[in-house]
Amino acid sequence: MPNIVDDKSQYCIPFILDRLEVHRRKHGAEEDPPPFFLGLNGVQGAGKTVLVSHLHATLTNPPHSLPTTIFSLDDFYLPHTSLSHLSSALHPSNPLLQHRGQPSTHDLPLLLSTFSSLRAHRPTKIPKYDKSLFDGQGDRLPEDEWEEVPPSGVKVVVFEGWAVGFRALEDEELEEKWKKVVAERERDPKAYKGRLGWNRLEDVRTINEALKGYDAVTDQLDALIHIDAQDPQYVYKWRLDQEHALRASKGSGMTDEQVKKFVDGYYPSYELFTDTLRRGIFPSADPTKTTSSANADANADADMENKGRQLRLVVGEDRKVKEHMVI
């Protein structure tokens, strides 16, 4: 796998420190304030792992000295037996649920209980998932191999993953997006590079419906960093690089053809949910609720509270930042 040099921390650290100050002011009167929860979304292979390593080192060491816990959405995949049941018994005809990845394939109750435990400063065990097991299908490791987080003192929680921050679409918008790409595919199948247009609407709806449950996690984030790609198609090369590195280190993993099929299963979600990420995932004022001065004040307060909570970094094929903006 190519050596990825971190050029993202220079944008992320000032953003995080700024949002941490907002968090401190918000919870200043509390005796035991909750940790600051940061979401980190990035296309697979875009450099999230390298970035979080730099973030951890920077935040935990002087001059900041902030106890920081980092964990991944990937570690909350269902155990192998549950994933097999999901694909073969519950959704045998849905190609998007034939392997881990999409909403539905995560242990959402475990994820929510982990968030709650960290928020309350209780002793917390973070699960671990080994993606090399079962010829690359993966499985959750035994609980005695999970990471233990001390019961107090955590100031920053970084939650990273390819789908962190995704928001479900309204049914009309979902169908409109699907119909548009199906029309593109039918006009010129060779020119259409996406995967959404090759899937049935009912299968896509299943993913979108499951994603609604993830709002209970997303709504707990204090801020989000989104590593976007100039061209989402980069994910195929980047994910292949990752799997080659995994096979080299673990001695097992997916073949190149399996990797392509694997990414094919993820790609419809990039087509569906990236636009919302780019606009910003935190609610802004509702323009329909301006019939009174009280509603106008509430809208202004919502805008002020949520403005600046998201950092978007756009990277090129070399994984280096080409654009950055605070939303």
Side-chain angles (χ1 to χ4, degrees):
M1 183 172 178
N3 183 38
I4 303 175
V5 178
D6 173 55
D7 71 332
K8 302 172 184 64
S9 293
Q10 60 183 312
Y11 307 105
C12 295
I13 294 297
F15 170 77
I16 293 170
L17 295 177
D18 178 69
R19 298 313 304 178
L20 270 168
E21 183 57 33
V22 173
H23 183 75
R24 290 190 188 101
R25 293 197 300 267
K26 180 179 179 180
H27 297 280
E30 299 177 27
E31 184 176 336
D32 191 21
F36 173 77
F37 282 82
L38 173 70
L40 175 59
N41 174 288
V43 176
Q44 297 158 294
K48 292 190 302 296
T49 302
V50 172
L51 174 59
V52 296
S53 177
H54 282 265
L55 294 181
H56 187 269
T58 302
L59 294 172
T60 56
N61 288 309
H64 309 299
S65 301
L66 295 165
T68 300
T69 293
I70 295 175
F71 60 94
S72 175
L73 177 64
D74 288 359
D75 286 318
F76 289 84
Y77 283 126
L78 294 167
H80 183 261
T81 53
S82 298
L83 284 174
S84 297
H85 179 72
L86 180 75
S87 62
S88 61
L90 300 181
H91 299 282
S93 64
N94 189 338
L96 300 175
L97 292 175
Q98 296 311 300
H99 53 68
R100 68 177 191 266
Q102 294 283 2
S104 290
T105 65
H106 302 97
D107 190 335
L108 201 51
L110 177 60
L111 179 56
L112 287 168
S113 68
T114 301
F115 263 62
S116 296
S117 183
L118 289 169
R119 185 173 295 279
H121 297 292
R122 295 194 297 265
T124 306
K125 299 188 77 172
I126 310 293
K128 291 296 178 186
Y129 202 89
D130 188 340
K131 297 176 183 177
S132 69
L133 297 176
F134 292 96
D135 295 323
Q137 295 178 43
D139 198 7
R140 183 183 296 167
L141 294 177
E143 190 171 340
D144 60 7
E145 297 184 45
W146 295 9
E147 178 189 351
E148 295 191 36
V149 180
S152 62
V154 174
K155 300 296 184 184
V156 179
V157 175
V158 180
F159 175 51
E160 63 91 5
W162 79 279
V164 169
F166 279 0
R167 297 282 197 186
L169 303 177
E170 296 294 334
D171 288 342
E172 288 183 3
E173 184 179 3
L174 178 78
E175 186 169 349
E176 182 181 338
K177 279 178 173 282
W178 178 81
K179 285 181 176 178
K180 179 180 178 181
V181 295
V182 167
E184 289 179 17
R185 180 201 27 108
E186 290 175 344
R187 270 197 312 271
D188 191 343
K190 292 184 178 179
Y192 174 61
K193 301 299 183 184
R195 296 303 307 171
L196 176 60
W198 296 99
N199 287 273
R200 298 178 303 177
L201 180 58
E202 57 263 39
D203 293 335
V204 175
R205 277 189 174 135
T206 298
I207 301 304
N208 191 64
E209 190 63 31
L211 184 57
K212 294 176 182 178
Y214 290 61
D215 279 349
V217 176
T218 304
D219 289 343
Q220 297 187 56
L221 300 177
D222 295 296
L224 178 79
I225 295 173
H226 172 209
I227 306 175
D228 199 357
Q230 288 179 322
D231 183 350
Q233 286 282 317
Y234 297 156
V235 69
Y236 283 94
K237 179 181 182 300
W238 292 346
R239 188 61 185 81
L240 199 60
D241 289 341
Q242 283 184 324
E243 198 66 24
H244 288 171
L246 181 67
R247 289 208 302 265
S249 64
K250 296 278 189 176
S252 61
M254 291 184 282
T255 66
D256 289 2
E257 182 58 29
Q258 287 173 326
V259 169
K260 182 185 180 304
K261 290 181 179 179
F262 187 72
V263 177
D264 283 348
Y266 284 76
Y267 205 84
S269 284
Y270 291 130
E271 294 175 83
L272 284 171
F273 307 122
T274 299
D275 286 344
T276 302
L277 274 177
R278 288 170 175 166
R279 291 194 299 265
I281 68 164
F282 298 108
S284 57
D286 185 346
T288 67
K289 297 180 178 180
T290 56
T291 57
S292 70
S293 59
N295 283 333
D297 289 343
N299 278 349
D301 289 343
D303 276 343
M304 287 296 294
E305 182 178 349
N306 291 320
K307 186 177 177 62
R309 289 174 64 186
Q310 184 169 327
L311 172 66
R312 178 175 172 235
L313 305 176
V314 183
V315 301
E317 188 174 5
D318 58 1
R319 300 180 176 88
K320 293 183 179 179
V321 177
K322 310 302 180 185
E323 299 178 66
H324 64 95
M325 61 214 71
V326 175
I327 302 171

